[in-house]
Amino acid sequence: MHAQLLSKKHPKASRIPWIDTAKGIAIILTIIGHTLDYGTLGRNIIFSFHMPLFFILSGYTFKISDHWDNCLIRLKKDIVRLLCPVLFVSTISLLLQYIISIDHSFDRFIQLFFQMALSLYWASGISVHEAPPLGMLWFLMSLFTARTLFNILNMLFPKDKYRVSSMLVGFLGIFLGMIYIYLPFNIDVSLVATLFFAMGYLLRNSILITDNVSLKVLIMAFWFSCLYSGMYIELATRSYPGLFICIVEALAGTCIIMWISKLMVSTSLASNILAPLGRITMTILCVHHLDAFLINIWGGDESILVKCTCRLIIVLLVSIIIEFIKRALINYTHNSR
């Protein structure tokens, strides 16, 4: 019922249903992947594509600016849409850390404040240069940078048909990560994200999204062989095993989810649950970031099935409630004018 109500907010004409379905699948898998134990097969499968998938799908739907004024307008919109939520959720995170802290002195608050400022400066999914990790919010920071950089590169090189500049930028990011050069605002990871963004943009006219059965079998075989060898990319930790291999593996896993989403798009599961969840992935991601404060709930002696189920239910339910409140406030503001 909640998902059906959420879906009414988005006209079908302005959305691509199978992409929303793919995002819905990916955000559910993201929560599960962060609950599974490190090194388990399930976690390896999810991590082989889940973050690249979001960048690839964002690139798939991206429209390049036709002039610099439009580029600046988009930049301002992305600041509001992507960076403002990072600051808002980080503020909530800071307050929660202070509340659950034993020490409620002003000095403790200042200490937490500077830790959060340092965390935002590096914006890394893991701790770098003694700065606390930013957690899941690193994705929004990198998505902002990847969108902006991809747009600027295509404005500077309008004849770059195959997005070679974006590819080169991505490989630079991989190189920096491999030699442990971590840049402020997670820029080294954002460079790699730009590579996936370019892949998504190119996918729109690619044979990879056709119904070529032989190609699908080949791609799935390659993906399974990579998983069998224990190889998978992990953007947050700058882990790029096999260089090109892990990049292609992420693309292969993304293509498989795309194919599954297209097959499911007309089902009630996709239209009433997965696609509506895919339309609120940012809210879900922010709630998922904050649920780390309740990690002890998922870290007990219960079975992994219970842990994943409880975490999914709570994160998704809270996210849906937040969406209803947001829309109620928007409607109230609009009607009161």
Side-chain angles (χ1 to χ4, degrees), residues 249-294:
E249 178 192 11
L251 177 60
T254 297
C255 287
I256 292 171
I257 297 298
M258 290 167 63
W259 299 332
I260 293 173
S261 301
K262 288 184 176 182
L263 290 173
M264 295 179 61
V265 73
S266 60
T267 66
S268 58
L269 174 62
S271 59
N272 294 330
I273 298 177
L274 294 176
L277 290 177
R279 290 191 279 266
I280 62 169
T281 50
M282 184 181 298
T283 300
I284 296 173
L285 183 139
C286 291
V287 173
H288 178 42
H289 168 79
L290 291 173
D291 87 336
F293 293 101
L294 303 174

Side-chain angles (χ1 to χ4, degrees), residues 163-195:
R163 315 303 162 190
V164 176
S165 58
S166 299
M167 301 290 181
L168 293 176
V169 160
F171 292 128
L172 172 61
I174 293 174
F175 175 73
L176 292 174
M178 292 184 66
I179 61 175
Y180 307 105
I181 295 180
Y182 305 144
L183 300 180
F185 305 112
N186 213 37
I187 288 178
D188 59 297
V189 175
S190 302
L191 298 179
V192 185
T194 306
L195 167 63

Side-chain angles (χ1 to χ4, degrees), residues 69-98:
D69 289 342
N70 182 264
C71 186
L72 182 59
I73 292 172
R74 177 167 291 173
L75 175 63
K76 292 177 180 178
K77 288 183 178 179
D78 282 348
I79 289 174
V80 173
R81 190 172 68 92
L82 296 173
L83 297 189
C84 287
V86 171
L87 294 177
F88 178 74
V89 175
S90 295
T91 301
I92 294 176
S93 175
L94 170 63
L95 294 175
L96 285 175
Q97 290 182 61
Y98 181 69

Side-chain angles (χ1 to χ4, degrees), residues 202-222:
L202 293 171
L203 267 182
R204 289 187 289 194
N205 300 310
S206 172
I207 190 175
L208 296 179
I209 60 173
T210 64
D211 292 325
N212 188 314
V213 177
S214 299
L215 181 61
K216 288 182 177 180
V217 172
L218 180 63
I219 289 174
M220 286 189 286
F222 172 79

Side-chain angles (χ1 to χ4, degrees), residues 300-318:
D301 297 327
E302 300 85 357
S303 69
I304 192 63
L305 178 61
V306 172
K307 293 178 185 177
C308 291
T309 302
C310 290
R311 195 171 196 179
L312 272 174
I313 290 174
I314 293 176
V315 171
L316 296 182
L317 183 60
V318 171

